[in-house]
Amino acid sequence: MSLDKSKFESMQRDIQNELEKLKLEEETLFQDLGNMLNQRLFLDSKVKGLAKLLPTLKVVKHEAQDLVSTINDISESSEKISGKIRSLDAARSHVNECQQRVSDLIDLEICSQGVQTAILDSDYEKGAAHVHRFLSIDQSLLHRTATDMENLSGMQKSVRTLQDAASQLQAIVEHKFNEAVNCEDLVSIERFFKIFPLLGMHEEGIKALCTYLRTKVAATAEKNLKSAITTPLSDKRHSVIYADTLTLLFEGLARVVDTHQPLIETYYGPGRLLCAINILQKECDIQMKRVLTEWTRTRQINKKIQIITDLSRMSSSSSFSKLEKIDPKDLDILIGEITLMHFRTELYFRFIQRKVVSDLEVGVQDPDEKTKVLKSLENLIKNSDLTHSKHELLLHYLKLEQYFMEESVAKAVSMDSVEPSQQTSSMVDDTFFIVKKCIRRSISTGSLDGICAIINNACRVLENDFCDVLRARLRQGYPSGYLDLTQAYNVLQTSIQQGRLQASDTEQTRTAFLVALNNADSSTEYVDALCDSVLKEIEQALPAMNNNERGKLESCLSGLSSVTTNLKEIIEYGIQQLRVSAIKPRINPWVDNFTSINHQLTEDELSAYEAGESFVQTLIMNLETLLSLFKDVLTTANYDAFIAVLTTEVTQRLEKVIMKSSFNRLGGLVLDKEVRSLAGYITATTSWSVRDKFARLTQIATVLNLEQVAEFYDYWGDHDGALTWRLTPSEVRTIMALRSDFKVEEIKRLKL
Amino acid sequence: MDDYKFLFKVVLVGNAGVGKTCLVRRFTQGLFPPGQGATIGVDFMIKTVDVDNEKVKLQIWDTAGQERFRSITQSYYRSAHALILVYDISCQPTFDCLPDWLREIEEYASSKVLRVLVGNKIDREDREIPTHVGEEFAERHNMYFLETSAKEAENVEKLFMQIAEDLMKVSRFLCDN
């Protein structure tokens, strides 16, 4: 029953739900219906509007069809018109051609009549102008006209007359030009030069003019060379007279190019300069060679080069040389002359290049043609004897400069001297002066390859000849000699008494050692400065370097930094020498004194110890004496390095002797104080921080200065007060064990 | 940027016309420029290669073979890590000059320099120096030996890669000690 009831109830619920749903649906439908009814008015008006539009659309369609047919008509008629215009155009060009032919014919007639008269009157300009007009007439057109015409013979006659006249004029002009050249009649030379291009003889004209100019250049060069040879020794230009002669040759040629280029450009058109320069270059080559031959002979170049080559071979085969060496000083001026000659040649090439390129810019538009001409310019320069001679000059220069550098540096080294109160000796200043001079001179050749070669050589000389000397001096070692000043003082006293006050051999060796060490240090600065200044100067001298050339230069310059590496090694070697012979033997006994002192103090003993001269006071006093010996004689950097090594030695030794001693609370306290004052003293002597070198020692003192074992936790672990320990846990335990008052078990119990 | 771990200088020497420039061009640019003019002074090329996943920068100095540039070219021997001595297998005189070149190398180069003998132009039909003759010469003078063709790109890559690998080995060995 209850089951039925519940069933009934759920059914009732369902029906209720269904009813609700239907009610909702009904409501929505009502709403939709309302909306539609609302829109009805609007839709009705739309339909009415459309019905009104219908007739208008029909009209539009008609009109559009009309428009299409009109456009078709127009296009047809315009087609017809353009056809007519085309035929009109053709007709007009025919007329034009006809007029051209007629005017050609008239000109032909006039020219053929005028040309003979002009020739007879010696009015070559006028004659050439006629021929020029004739040549400018389209010859094939002329032929066609001839076949079209009835009066054939008349025209042919005119053509023949003009052709004859042309060849006649060509012969005459050539002849007259030569005549003018022979008489040195400048006005006529110019006159006939201008006629050549009118007769279509551009190349002949340029060739004729340049051949003439060659003779002029040759004559001047001949005269200049003669006067160079006869220049007296006393003349102040005597030492560079051949460079001067070469300069005159180049300047002369440049002037010739400069004065004639406008003439050629005006009458022959732009783009023809290379042709002229090609011819002139031949004379330049010849004259340059003559100057060089004379120079080689007078300056005895081959002999000098031969001696230098022999010398280098001798030294490399290590047999003693009997050859007279050439004093590098004697080569100085000659080397200067060569660089000047080389540079002038370089400048001349740059001049030609500039001229031809700018002529090309105006005259030749076609890029392919341009590349072709540029290529032939490049070949002209590359294959010229002048280039060849230039390379030879550079070769001579490099050989002589290399010898000059080597010998001068060798001289600087052998004449090395130390001024008292100077930290370095003369060889450093002298060597770098020479090297810089040579590199600068190489820059003045204007050749990057030359500069690079000299920089390479400089690296070799510095690394081998210069560094080797420094290294050898340091290898002699630093004699330990007297152990303290008192001893030294006593010896000095006896020396004075015996009347010999000169420094002893030991003293000299010491000075030599320290000076060599200082030399190495100051050389590193010289190398850096050299690199900077050289790079700047090269950038000024060769502003147009491309990336590749710059890379080349930088690579060579980086060779100089390997010299610095070398020098640093030398310094390190020297400092180690000092460590072994000057620092260790003195410091060890001073520090070892520590073991002879009682470190298990009572209160009374402590005050007694502090009242007297403590260990650290004595040590500092001794160190002070030692450092004072080196402070002024070493460069700052070397002195710093010296103190660094000294500090390492002192701290390491002190650590050792501490480990051999045994302390009580007060002993630890004293040690901590002493370590602090030692660190304080050394910090004050130098410019860098010694904290790091003292780290272990300070920590050892801290451990020994503890009140009790457990206090160690204040410094150990992860908390804020903890130190960064340089000591291992086992080291800490060992050090704690040095405290006689610390119990072994307690130390063992420490959790580290 | 310039990101490399090793930098080595390689210098090519040998008579004019044996193909030094072509070997360098082939390796650095993958080209064989026909009608190459004589080199003037010294040319300079750079190529970075990978050896064992390390960047190795090779600085290649291509020297002029002609006598008149000798002063310039000699100055590069000293700082060279490797010297490639090239001859033309189809031209006996270029092989005959090798002892002269070796003398120059002895005089100017570091004693530690890696020396490689290369017989170039094996693409040519008119061989004059048999392979074993070159090999024997190289062995006698304690040099590596390789025959190449810049034209056909034969052994060119191998030549430079071998040098890079060897130089790297040497420099690693020096670093470790």
Side-chain angles (χ1 to χ4, degrees), chain A residues 670-698:
Chain A
V670 170
L671 176 70
D672 195 52
K673 265 195 203 165
E674 296 201 314
V675 167
R676 277 171 212 279
S677 62
L678 184 62
Y681 166 71
I682 292 184
T683 305
T685 59
T686 173
S687 52
W688 44 267
S689 163
V690 294
R691 190 189 292 270
D692 198 52
K693 287 197 183 295
F694 266 92
R696 272 178 68 88
L697 201 58
T698 317

Side-chain angles (χ1 to χ4, degrees), chain A residues 312 316 382 387-388 391 394-395 398-399 449 452-453 456-457 459-460 463 548 551-552 555-556 558, chain B residues 9 37-38 40-45 59 61 67-72 74-76 78-79 107-108:
Chain A
S312 75
S316 67
K382 209 163 92 184
T387 296
H388 208 279
H391 291 155
L394 192 64
L395 176 81
L398 289 173
K399 281 196 169 150
D449 268 337
C452 285
N456 289 341
N457 277 327
C459 294
R460 183 174 55 81
E463 252 180 61
N548 195 282
K552 197 159 142 181
S555 169
C556 290
S558 77
Chain B
K9 289 189 188 178
I40 290 174
V42 180
D43 253 350
F44 167 81
M45 298 265 178
Q59 226 178 50
W61 296 85
E67 180 75 35
R68 64 192 151 123
F69 297 112
R70 218 40 66 79
S71 289
I72 295 172
Q74 280 163 355
S75 76
Y76 288 89
R78 200 183 58 91
S79 58
E107 189 175 349
Y108 296 101

Side-chain angles (χ1 to χ4, degrees), chain A residues 486-636:
Chain A
T486 353
Q487 215 177 338
Y489 180 75
N490 289 339
V491 173
L492 192 64
Q493 285 295 317
T494 33
S495 300
I496 292 169
Q497 279 157 15
Q498 290 167 5
R500 14 179 205 101
L501 197 61
Q502 72 269 41
S504 63
D505 284 351
T506 341
E507 207 49 49
Q508 270 179 355
T509 324
R510 276 184 191 175
T511 311
F513 182 94
L514 295 177
V515 165
L517 193 61
N518 290 335
N519 283 350
D521 177 44
S522 76
S523 297
T524 59
E525 284 164 33
Y526 270 110
V527 171
D528 290 346
L530 183 70
C531 250
D532 284 352
S533 71
V534 162
L535 186 62
K536 265 186 213 125
E537 277 181 49
I538 296 172
E539 273 167 349
Q540 255 170 20
L542 304 168
M545 270 193 291
N546 60 32
N547 275 344
N548 195 282
E549 290 170 327
R550 186 172 287 277
K552 197 159 142 181
L553 174 67
E554 275 167 9
S555 169
C556 290
L557 279 175
S558 77
L560 283 173
S561 57
S562 75
V563 175
T564 307
T565 317
N566 232 309
L567 287 165
K568 294 244 162 82
E569 279 167 21
I570 292 173
I571 295 169
E572 178 56 26
Y573 173 79
I575 296 284
Q576 288 309 321
Q577 288 272 34
L578 283 179
R579 186 176 70 86
V580 172
S581 50
I583 298 176
K584 253 190 150 167
R586 300 195 185 196
I587 278 176
N588 289 358
W590 297 337
V591 176
D592 289 353
N593 263 340
F594 189 79
T595 48
S596 61
I597 293 168
N598 178 20
H599 303 290
Q600 315 223 22
L601 303 166
T602 63
E603 290 281 352
D604 289 346
E605 281 168 331
L606 174 65
S607 25
Y609 178 76
E610 285 187 335
E613 199 169 277
S614 67
F615 163 76
V616 82
Q617 279 172 334
T618 320
L619 178 60
I620 287 174
M621 200 189 72
N622 284 330
L623 290 178
E624 176 87 35
T625 320
L626 178 62
L627 286 178
S628 71
L629 283 176
F630 290 93
K631 188 171 172 36
D632 295 327
V633 292
L634 284 179
T635 58
T636 319

Side-chain angles (χ1 to χ4, degrees), chain A residues 198-237:
Chain A
L198 294 178
L199 301 172
M201 300 166 75
H202 294 84
E203 283 187 17
E204 288 87 343
I206 288 176
K207 192 176 165 203
L209 178 72
C210 291
T211 313
Y212 160 68
L213 293 173
R214 274 182 70 166
T215 60
K216 302 292 285 178
V217 169
T220 320
E222 172 87 41
K223 211 176 73 204
N224 288 339
L225 185 58
K226 251 191 203 135
S227 90
I229 295 170
T230 52
T231 303
L233 208 65
S234 56
D235 193 293
K236 64 174 190 281
R237 299 298 294 176

Side-chain angles (χ1 to χ4, degrees), chain A residues 319-478:
Chain A
S319 69
F320 212 74
S321 119
K322 272 182 192 151
L323 271 168
E324 187 82 13
K325 280 204 174 184
I326 307 175
D327 188 344
K329 238 197 250 159
D330 295 343
L331 293 177
D332 202 23
I333 292 165
L334 177 62
I335 296 174
E337 192 184 31
I338 303 180
T339 56
L340 208 56
M341 291 164 90
H342 187 276
F343 185 57
R344 295 292 180 196
T345 317
E346 186 77 39
L347 279 186
Y348 179 65
F349 277 135
R350 285 187 207 166
F351 168 79
I352 288 181
Q353 244 156 345
R354 206 173 55 237
K355 278 285 166 187
V356 172
V357 168
S358 69
D359 181 50
L360 213 56
E361 293 298 320
V362 187
V364 183
Q365 255 71 44
D366 180 23
D368 287 346
E369 178 67 15
K370 229 177 226 176
T371 354
K372 219 179 95 193
V373 177
L374 282 178
K375 186 84 199 156
S376 65
L377 170 68
E378 198 189 311
N379 282 336
L380 164 69
I381 291 177
K382 209 163 92 184
N383 300 329
S384 68
D385 287 347
L386 186 58
T387 296
H388 208 279
S389 303
K390 192 177 90 151
H391 291 155
E392 232 155 61
L393 278 175
L394 192 64
L395 176 81
H396 290 326
Y397 163 72
L398 289 173
K399 281 196 169 150
L400 293 171
E401 188 76 288
Q402 200 176 319
Y403 177 83
F404 177 87
M405 199 194 302
E406 278 168 26
E407 287 301 312
S408 307
V409 169
K411 217 163 150 190
V413 169
S414 71
M415 287 167 59
D416 189 28
S417 65
V418 196
E419 292 285 315
S421 85
Q422 288 288 324
Q423 291 175 337
T424 54
S425 65
S426 65
M427 71 181 256
V428 181
D429 281 354
D430 292 353
T431 299
F432 281 94
F433 174 79
I434 293 157
V435 169
K436 190 168 180 182
K437 175 186 171 134
C438 293
I439 296 180
R440 291 180 76 166
R441 195 152 53 188
S442 76
I443 296 171
S444 74
T445 60
S447 152
L448 183 65
D449 268 337
I451 297 170
C452 285
I454 290 301
I455 292 175
N456 289 341
N457 277 327
C459 294
R460 183 174 55 81
V461 169
L462 285 177
E463 252 180 61
N464 297 356
D465 304 354
F466 182 74
C467 286
D468 280 356
V469 172
L470 295 181
R471 208 176 283 120
R473 285 191 189 162
L474 292 182
R475 228 172 246 140
Q476 305 269 309
Y478 184 81

Side-chain angles (χ1 to χ4, degrees), chain A residues 5 26 37 55 66 114 181 258 403 435 515 521 606 624 663:
Chain A
K5 195 179 175 193
E26 189 190 14
L37 279 175
D66 283 352
V181 166
D258 267 341
Y403 177 83
V435 169
V515 165
D521 177 44
L606 174 65
E624 176 87 35
F663 303 82

